[in-house]
Amino acid sequence: FQLLPAERVADLLAGGADVHAGNENADAPTPIGLARALLRTGATDACAELIVSADPLPWSEGTHELFPPRRRARAVELLLSGHLLARSCQVFTGQEIALLDVWIAHVMPRAVHM
């Protein structure tokens, strides 16, 4: 990721670069695989974050760790908001868990990317 400036990576992604592109060697890492591996180490890298952000992978509890730190922080904020909403609205009394399930399954995957 140090080979290209973040601006160049952004230009490539805007031009339709495939984050899953590989070469003829099926075992070769892809840009998205390298970016996720780097971010999993806790490193902060603008290029890796751009690449992961460009991937259409939907957020879920199972994919949470694959997202850049800012998106993971957004997911935590959204989850806390969902908990507060489920607990505070008397309309949902007795249905708090159901509301939270819907929030996690349908709202968060879309809102994390905003």
Side-chain angles (χ1 to χ4, degrees):
F1 295 99
Q2 302 302 324
L3 300 177
L4 294 174
E7 297 81 22
R8 178 68 178 133
V9 171
D11 288 343
L12 288 168
L13 292 171
D18 182 4
V19 298
H20 296 279
N23 59 24
E24 53 280 346
N25 180 357
D27 294 334
T30 61
I32 192 69
L34 291 170
R36 286 186 178 139
L38 179 62
L39 293 175
R40 256 187 247 121
T41 68
T44 306
D45 184 276
C47 293
E49 289 188 15
L50 283 169
I51 291 168
V52 170
S53 295
D55 187 27
L57 179 71
W59 180 89
S60 72
E61 293 173 82
T63 62
H64 179 80
E65 73 175 56
L66 301 177
F67 282 79
R70 284 180 286 182
R71 299 273 173 133
R72 290 196 312 264
R74 173 111 170 110
V76 170
E77 291 171 354
L78 288 164
L79 184 59
L80 293 173
S81 297
H83 274 280
L84 289 172
L85 178 65
R87 289 178 160 181
S88 64
C89 292
Q90 293 181 356
V91 174
F92 302 116
T93 301
Q95 299 296 318
E96 294 88 353
I97 300 298
L99 172 67
L100 196 55
D101 288 345
V102 170
W103 184 266
I104 292 169
H106 299 283
V107 175
M108 288 186 60
R110 290 163 180 79
V112 166
H113 289 285
M114 294 180 149

mmCIF file of all heavy atoms in Angstrom, residues 47-83:
data_model
loop_
_atom_site.group_PDB
_atom_site.id
_atom_site.type_symbol
_atom_site.label_atom_id
_atom_site.label_comp_id
_atom_site.label_asym_id
_atom_site.label_seq_id
_atom_site.Cartn_x
_atom_site.Cartn_y
_atom_site.Cartn_z
ATOM 1 N N CYS A 47 -4.776 4.170 2.303
ATOM 2 C CA CYS A 47 -5.037 3.367 1.100
ATOM 3 C C CYS A 47 -5.862 2.127 1.435
ATOM 4 O O CYS A 47 -6.818 1.799 0.735
ATOM 5 C CB CYS A 47 -3.725 2.963 0.432
ATOM 6 S SG CYS A 47 -2.836 4.353 -0.265
ATOM 7 N N ALA A 48 -5.493 1.440 2.502
ATOM 8 C CA ALA A 48 -6.236 0.243 2.910
ATOM 9 C C ALA A 48 -7.676 0.599 3.243
ATOM 10 O O ALA A 48 -8.607 -0.124 2.875
ATOM 11 C CB ALA A 48 -5.553 -0.425 4.097
ATOM 12 N N GLU A 49 -7.880 1.715 3.926
ATOM 13 C CA GLU A 49 -9.237 2.129 4.264
ATOM 14 C C GLU A 49 -10.046 2.465 3.013
ATOM 15 O O GLU A 49 -11.232 2.147 2.927
ATOM 16 C CB GLU A 49 -9.210 3.306 5.231
ATOM 17 C CG GLU A 49 -8.739 2.885 6.615
ATOM 18 C CD GLU A 49 -8.877 3.963 7.662
ATOM 19 O OE1 GLU A 49 -9.594 4.955 7.417
ATOM 20 O OE2 GLU A 49 -8.281 3.807 8.726
ATOM 21 N N LEU A 50 -9.414 3.098 2.032
ATOM 22 C CA LEU A 50 -10.108 3.392 0.775
ATOM 23 C C LEU A 50 -10.529 2.111 0.065
ATOM 24 O O LEU A 50 -11.652 1.999 -0.429
ATOM 25 C CB LEU A 50 -9.195 4.199 -0.156
ATOM 26 C CG LEU A 50 -9.026 5.675 0.146
ATOM 27 C CD1 LEU A 50 -7.900 6.255 -0.699
ATOM 28 C CD2 LEU A 50 -10.323 6.417 -0.098
ATOM 29 N N ILE A 51 -9.630 1.142 0.033
ATOM 30 C CA ILE A 51 -9.916 -0.122 -0.655
ATOM 31 C C ILE A 51 -11.050 -0.874 0.041
ATOM 32 O O ILE A 51 -11.989 -1.338 -0.600
ATOM 33 C CB ILE A 51 -8.642 -0.995 -0.750
ATOM 34 C CG1 ILE A 51 -7.651 -0.325 -1.724
ATOM 35 C CG2 ILE A 51 -8.970 -2.411 -1.191
ATOM 36 C CD1 ILE A 51 -6.261 -0.915 -1.692
ATOM 37 N N VAL A 52 -10.981 -0.963 1.365
ATOM 38 C CA VAL A 52 -12.029 -1.676 2.110
ATOM 39 C C VAL A 52 -13.359 -0.936 1.979
ATOM 40 O O VAL A 52 -14.409 -1.550 1.825
ATOM 41 C CB VAL A 52 -11.623 -1.870 3.588
ATOM 42 C CG1 VAL A 52 -12.782 -2.386 4.410
ATOM 43 C CG2 VAL A 52 -10.450 -2.833 3.677
ATOM 44 N N SER A 53 -13.317 0.389 2.001
ATOM 45 C CA SER A 53 -14.551 1.173 1.867
ATOM 46 C C SER A 53 -15.190 0.997 0.492
ATOM 47 O O SER A 53 -16.397 1.150 0.338
ATOM 48 C CB SER A 53 -14.268 2.647 2.112
ATOM 49 O OG SER A 53 -13.871 2.844 3.446
ATOM 50 N N ALA A 54 -14.375 0.701 -0.507
ATOM 51 C CA ALA A 54 -14.894 0.526 -1.873
ATOM 52 C C ALA A 54 -15.538 -0.843 -2.074
ATOM 53 O O ALA A 54 -16.258 -1.050 -3.052
ATOM 54 C CB ALA A 54 -13.764 0.700 -2.883
ATOM 55 N N ASP A 55 -15.276 -1.771 -1.163
ATOM 56 C CA ASP A 55 -15.837 -3.113 -1.297
ATOM 57 C C ASP A 55 -17.307 -3.093 -0.899
ATOM 58 O O ASP A 55 -17.658 -2.577 0.154
ATOM 59 C CB ASP A 55 -15.071 -4.087 -0.413
ATOM 60 C CG ASP A 55 -15.498 -5.522 -0.623
ATOM 61 O OD1 ASP A 55 -15.960 -5.858 -1.721
ATOM 62 O OD2 ASP A 55 -15.360 -6.315 0.317
ATOM 63 N N PRO A 56 -18.188 -3.663 -1.696
ATOM 64 C CA PRO A 56 -19.611 -3.641 -1.380
ATOM 65 C C PRO A 56 -20.027 -4.642 -0.296
ATOM 66 O O PRO A 56 -21.206 -4.870 -0.098
ATOM 67 C CB PRO A 56 -20.267 -3.988 -2.717
ATOM 68 C CG PRO A 56 -19.255 -4.818 -3.420
ATOM 69 C CD PRO A 56 -17.917 -4.272 -2.991
ATOM 70 N N LEU A 57 -19.072 -5.228 0.397
ATOM 71 C CA LEU A 57 -19.383 -6.186 1.455
ATOM 72 C C LEU A 57 -20.321 -5.556 2.481
ATOM 73 O O LEU A 57 -20.008 -4.509 3.038
ATOM 74 C CB LEU A 57 -18.084 -6.622 2.144
ATOM 75 C CG LEU A 57 -18.192 -7.608 3.293
ATOM 76 C CD1 LEU A 57 -18.568 -8.980 2.745
ATOM 77 C CD2 LEU A 57 -16.885 -7.688 4.044
ATOM 78 N N PRO A 58 -21.479 -6.139 2.725
ATOM 79 C CA PRO A 58 -22.389 -5.560 3.715
ATOM 80 C C PRO A 58 -21.886 -5.800 5.141
ATOM 81 O O PRO A 58 -21.253 -6.812 5.421
ATOM 82 C CB PRO A 58 -23.702 -6.304 3.473
ATOM 83 C CG PRO A 58 -23.310 -7.593 2.859
ATOM 84 C CD PRO A 58 -22.031 -7.335 2.101
ATOM 85 N N TRP A 59 -22.184 -4.840 5.998
ATOM 86 C CA TRP A 59 -21.807 -4.998 7.400
ATOM 87 C C TRP A 59 -22.688 -6.056 8.045
ATOM 88 O O TRP A 59 -23.882 -6.174 7.758
ATOM 89 C CB TRP A 59 -21.981 -3.685 8.167
ATOM 90 C CG TRP A 59 -21.600 -3.831 9.597
ATOM 91 C CD1 TRP A 59 -20.364 -3.645 10.138
ATOM 92 C CD2 TRP A 59 -22.430 -4.280 10.675
ATOM 93 N NE1 TRP A 59 -20.377 -3.937 11.480
ATOM 94 C CE2 TRP A 59 -21.639 -4.341 11.834
ATOM 95 C CE3 TRP A 59 -23.765 -4.659 10.763
ATOM 96 C CZ2 TRP A 59 -22.141 -4.733 13.065
ATOM 97 C CZ3 TRP A 59 -24.267 -5.058 11.991
ATOM 98 C CH2 TRP A 59 -23.457 -5.093 13.125
ATOM 99 N N SER A 60 -22.090 -6.847 8.923
ATOM 100 C CA SER A 60 -22.824 -7.782 9.781
ATOM 101 C C SER A 60 -21.933 -8.017 10.988
ATOM 102 O O SER A 60 -20.774 -7.610 11.015
ATOM 103 C CB SER A 60 -23.113 -9.104 9.062
ATOM 104 O OG SER A 60 -21.921 -9.850 8.921
ATOM 105 N N GLU A 61 -22.482 -8.691 11.978
ATOM 106 C CA GLU A 61 -21.654 -9.010 13.146
ATOM 107 C C GLU A 61 -20.443 -9.854 12.730
ATOM 108 O O GLU A 61 -19.358 -9.711 13.276
ATOM 109 C CB GLU A 61 -22.494 -9.754 14.191
ATOM 110 C CG GLU A 61 -23.569 -8.874 14.799
ATOM 111 C CD GLU A 61 -24.505 -9.646 15.706
ATOM 112 O OE1 GLU A 61 -24.136 -9.866 16.874
ATOM 113 O OE2 GLU A 61 -25.593 -10.023 15.211
ATOM 114 N N GLY A 62 -20.623 -10.697 11.731
ATOM 115 C CA GLY A 62 -19.544 -11.564 11.274
ATOM 116 C C GLY A 62 -18.491 -10.860 10.429
ATOM 117 O O GLY A 62 -17.366 -11.333 10.333
ATOM 118 N N THR A 63 -18.854 -9.734 9.800
ATOM 119 C CA THR A 63 -17.895 -9.015 8.960
ATOM 120 C C THR A 63 -17.357 -7.759 9.643
ATOM 121 O O THR A 63 -16.532 -7.050 9.067
ATOM 122 C CB THR A 63 -18.534 -8.605 7.617
ATOM 123 O OG1 THR A 63 -19.636 -7.717 7.874
ATOM 124 C CG2 THR A 63 -18.995 -9.809 6.823
ATOM 125 N N HIS A 64 -17.805 -7.471 10.837
ATOM 126 C CA HIS A 64 -17.439 -6.243 11.550
ATOM 127 C C HIS A 64 -15.928 -6.010 11.570
ATOM 128 O O HIS A 64 -15.458 -4.920 11.272
ATOM 129 C CB HIS A 64 -17.994 -6.286 12.977
ATOM 130 C CG HIS A 64 -17.650 -5.094 13.796
ATOM 131 N ND1 HIS A 64 -18.340 -3.909 13.683
ATOM 132 C CD2 HIS A 64 -16.697 -4.896 14.738
ATOM 133 C CE1 HIS A 64 -17.817 -3.029 14.521
ATOM 134 N NE2 HIS A 64 -16.819 -3.603 15.168
ATOM 135 N N GLU A 65 -15.162 -7.032 11.882
ATOM 136 C CA GLU A 65 -13.706 -6.872 12.012
ATOM 137 C C GLU A 65 -13.018 -6.594 10.680
ATOM 138 O O GLU A 65 -11.872 -6.161 10.653
ATOM 139 C CB GLU A 65 -13.078 -8.095 12.669
ATOM 140 C CG GLU A 65 -13.037 -9.302 11.764
ATOM 141 C CD GLU A 65 -12.302 -10.475 12.378
ATOM 142 O OE1 GLU A 65 -12.686 -10.886 13.479
ATOM 143 O OE2 GLU A 65 -11.366 -10.971 11.754
ATOM 144 N N LEU A 66 -13.706 -6.803 9.577
ATOM 145 C CA LEU A 66 -13.116 -6.576 8.260
ATOM 146 C C LEU A 66 -13.201 -5.115 7.817
ATOM 147 O O LEU A 66 -12.621 -4.739 6.814
ATOM 148 C CB LEU A 66 -13.814 -7.454 7.213
ATOM 149 C CG LEU A 66 -13.768 -8.952 7.470
ATOM 150 C CD1 LEU A 66 -14.563 -9.692 6.405
ATOM 151 C CD2 LEU A 66 -12.341 -9.455 7.541
ATOM 152 N N PHE A 67 -13.924 -4.298 8.573
ATOM 153 C CA PHE A 67 -14.118 -2.904 8.209
ATOM 154 C C PHE A 67 -13.046 -2.015 8.826
ATOM 155 O O PHE A 67 -12.480 -2.343 9.869
ATOM 156 C CB PHE A 67 -15.508 -2.430 8.659
ATOM 157 C CG PHE A 67 -16.603 -2.896 7.746
ATOM 158 C CD1 PHE A 67 -17.086 -4.195 7.819
ATOM 159 C CD2 PHE A 67 -17.144 -2.052 6.799
ATOM 160 C CE1 PHE A 67 -18.081 -4.637 6.972
ATOM 161 C CE2 PHE A 67 -18.140 -2.481 5.941
ATOM 162 C CZ PHE A 67 -18.610 -3.776 6.028
ATOM 163 N N PRO A 68 -12.783 -0.864 8.181
ATOM 164 C CA PRO A 68 -11.815 0.083 8.743
ATOM 165 C C PRO A 68 -12.290 0.604 10.108
ATOM 166 O O PRO A 68 -13.491 0.558 10.400
ATOM 167 C CB PRO A 68 -11.776 1.220 7.729
ATOM 168 C CG PRO A 68 -12.435 0.718 6.502
ATOM 169 C CD PRO A 68 -13.325 -0.412 6.909
ATOM 170 N N PRO A 69 -11.384 1.109 10.914
ATOM 171 C CA PRO A 69 -11.737 1.579 12.265
ATOM 172 C C PRO A 69 -12.889 2.576 12.296
ATOM 173 O O PRO A 69 -13.756 2.484 13.173
ATOM 174 C CB PRO A 69 -10.443 2.218 12.773
ATOM 175 C CG PRO A 69 -9.361 1.527 12.023
ATOM 176 C CD PRO A 69 -9.939 1.204 10.669
ATOM 177 N N ARG A 70 -12.929 3.511 11.355
ATOM 178 C CA ARG A 70 -14.024 4.505 11.376
ATOM 179 C C ARG A 70 -15.378 3.862 11.131
ATOM 180 O O ARG A 70 -16.376 4.241 11.736
ATOM 181 C CB ARG A 70 -13.772 5.602 10.342
ATOM 182 C CG ARG A 70 -12.704 6.596 10.803
ATOM 183 C CD ARG A 70 -12.503 7.640 9.771
ATOM 184 N NE ARG A 70 -11.753 6.985 8.695
ATOM 185 C CZ ARG A 70 -11.330 7.564 7.601
ATOM 186 N NH1 ARG A 70 -11.592 8.818 7.393
ATOM 187 N NH2 ARG A 70 -10.645 6.915 6.701
ATOM 188 N N ARG A 71 -15.426 2.887 10.251
ATOM 189 C CA ARG A 71 -16.701 2.202 9.980
ATOM 190 C C ARG A 71 -17.103 1.326 11.170
ATOM 191 O O ARG A 71 -18.279 1.201 11.485
ATOM 192 C CB ARG A 71 -16.611 1.354 8.717
ATOM 193 C CG ARG A 71 -16.315 2.131 7.469
ATOM 194 C CD ARG A 71 -17.574 2.652 6.834
ATOM 195 N NE ARG A 71 -17.224 3.534 5.739
ATOM 196 C CZ ARG A 71 -17.764 3.492 4.554
ATOM 197 N NH1 ARG A 71 -18.694 2.621 4.301
ATOM 198 N NH2 ARG A 71 -17.398 4.333 3.633
ATOM 199 N N ARG A 72 -16.126 0.701 11.812
ATOM 200 C CA ARG A 72 -16.433 -0.104 13.009
ATOM 201 C C ARG A 72 -16.957 0.794 14.122
ATOM 202 O O ARG A 72 -17.905 0.426 14.827
ATOM 203 C CB ARG A 72 -15.201 -0.884 13.459
ATOM 204 C CG ARG A 72 -14.821 -2.010 12.522
ATOM 205 C CD ARG A 72 -13.854 -3.002 13.145
ATOM 206 N NE ARG A 72 -12.734 -2.381 13.802
ATOM 207 C CZ ARG A 72 -11.530 -2.192 13.261
ATOM 208 N NH1 ARG A 72 -11.304 -2.565 12.021
ATOM 209 N NH2 ARG A 72 -10.564 -1.638 13.952
ATOM 210 N N ALA A 73 -16.364 1.975 14.276
ATOM 211 C CA ALA A 73 -16.843 2.922 15.292
ATOM 212 C C ALA A 73 -18.271 3.357 14.969
ATOM 213 O O ALA A 73 -19.111 3.477 15.872
ATOM 214 C CB ALA A 73 -15.910 4.131 15.365
ATOM 215 N N ARG A 74 -18.544 3.571 13.696
ATOM 216 C CA ARG A 74 -19.913 3.932 13.278
ATOM 217 C C ARG A 74 -20.879 2.803 13.613
ATOM 218 O O ARG A 74 -21.992 3.043 14.072
ATOM 219 C CB ARG A 74 -19.936 4.218 11.776
ATOM 220 C CG ARG A 74 -21.310 4.428 11.206
ATOM 221 C CD ARG A 74 -21.511 5.853 10.800
ATOM 222 N NE ARG A 74 -22.751 5.996 10.046
ATOM 223 C CZ ARG A 74 -23.813 6.613 10.521
ATOM 224 N NH1 ARG A 74 -23.780 7.173 11.706
ATOM 225 N NH2 ARG A 74 -24.897 6.703 9.800
ATOM 226 N N ALA A 75 -20.465 1.564 13.392
ATOM 227 C CA ALA A 75 -21.325 0.413 13.716
ATOM 228 C C ALA A 75 -21.632 0.371 15.211
ATOM 229 O O ALA A 75 -22.771 0.100 15.608
ATOM 230 C CB ALA A 75 -20.669 -0.886 13.263
ATOM 231 N N VAL A 76 -20.643 0.646 16.030
ATOM 232 C CA VAL A 76 -20.862 0.653 17.481
ATOM 233 C C VAL A 76 -21.855 1.751 17.852
ATOM 234 O O VAL A 76 -22.778 1.530 18.647
ATOM 235 C CB VAL A 76 -19.522 0.825 18.243
ATOM 236 C CG1 VAL A 76 -19.763 1.074 19.717
ATOM 237 C CG2 VAL A 76 -18.647 -0.401 18.035
ATOM 238 N N GLU A 77 -21.691 2.941 17.273
ATOM 239 C CA GLU A 77 -22.631 4.040 17.532
ATOM 240 C C GLU A 77 -24.048 3.654 17.128
ATOM 241 O O GLU A 77 -25.016 3.925 17.851
ATOM 242 C CB GLU A 77 -22.217 5.293 16.769
ATOM 243 C CG GLU A 77 -20.949 5.927 17.267
ATOM 244 C CD GLU A 77 -20.449 7.033 16.339
ATOM 245 O OE1 GLU A 77 -21.041 7.236 15.242
ATOM 246 O OE2 GLU A 77 -19.458 7.685 16.704
ATOM 247 N N LEU A 78 -24.173 3.025 15.962
ATOM 248 C CA LEU A 78 -25.490 2.613 15.487
ATOM 249 C C LEU A 78 -26.110 1.539 16.380
ATOM 250 O O LEU A 78 -27.315 1.557 16.640
ATOM 251 C CB LEU A 78 -25.399 2.098 14.048
ATOM 252 C CG LEU A 78 -25.151 3.168 12.994
ATOM 253 C CD1 LEU A 78 -24.689 2.536 11.689
ATOM 254 C CD2 LEU A 78 -26.408 4.000 12.779
ATOM 255 N N LEU A 79 -25.285 0.618 16.835
ATOM 256 C CA LEU A 79 -25.796 -0.430 17.723
ATOM 257 C C LEU A 79 -26.297 0.181 19.029
ATOM 258 O O LEU A 79 -27.381 -0.172 19.508
ATOM 259 C CB LEU A 79 -24.706 -1.472 18.001
ATOM 260 C CG LEU A 79 -25.135 -2.662 18.845
ATOM 261 C CD1 LEU A 79 -26.288 -3.414 18.184
ATOM 262 C CD2 LEU A 79 -23.955 -3.593 19.073
ATOM 263 N N LEU A 80 -25.543 1.118 19.576
ATOM 264 C CA LEU A 80 -25.983 1.792 20.801
ATOM 265 C C LEU A 80 -27.272 2.576 20.559
ATOM 266 O O LEU A 80 -28.174 2.572 21.398
ATOM 267 C CB LEU A 80 -24.883 2.714 21.323
ATOM 268 C CG LEU A 80 -23.630 2.003 21.825
ATOM 269 C CD1 LEU A 80 -22.541 3.020 22.158
ATOM 270 C CD2 LEU A 80 -23.933 1.127 23.027
ATOM 271 N N SER A 81 -27.372 3.224 19.405
ATOM 272 C CA SER A 81 -28.603 3.950 19.057
ATOM 273 C C SER A 81 -29.789 2.994 18.967
ATOM 274 O O SER A 81 -30.892 3.312 19.417
ATOM 275 C CB SER A 81 -28.437 4.685 17.728
ATOM 276 O OG SER A 81 -27.432 5.658 17.827
ATOM 277 N N GLY A 82 -29.573 1.833 18.364
ATOM 278 C CA GLY A 82 -30.633 0.832 18.268
ATOM 279 C C GLY A 82 -31.085 0.354 19.637
ATOM 280 O O GLY A 82 -32.287 0.192 19.883
ATOM 281 N N HIS A 83 -30.123 0.136 20.530
ATOM 282 C CA HIS A 83 -30.474 -0.264 21.907
ATOM 283 C C HIS A 83 -31.296 0.825 22.591
ATOM 284 O O HIS A 83 -32.312 0.533 23.234
ATOM 285 C CB HIS A 83 -29.204 -0.539 22.723
ATOM 286 C CG HIS A 83 -28.691 -1.929 22.585
ATOM 287 N ND1 HIS A 83 -29.221 -2.993 23.272
ATOM 288 C CD2 HIS A 83 -27.687 -2.430 21.830
ATOM 289 C CE1 HIS A 83 -28.568 -4.096 22.953
ATOM 290 N NE2 HIS A 83 -27.637 -3.783 22.072
#
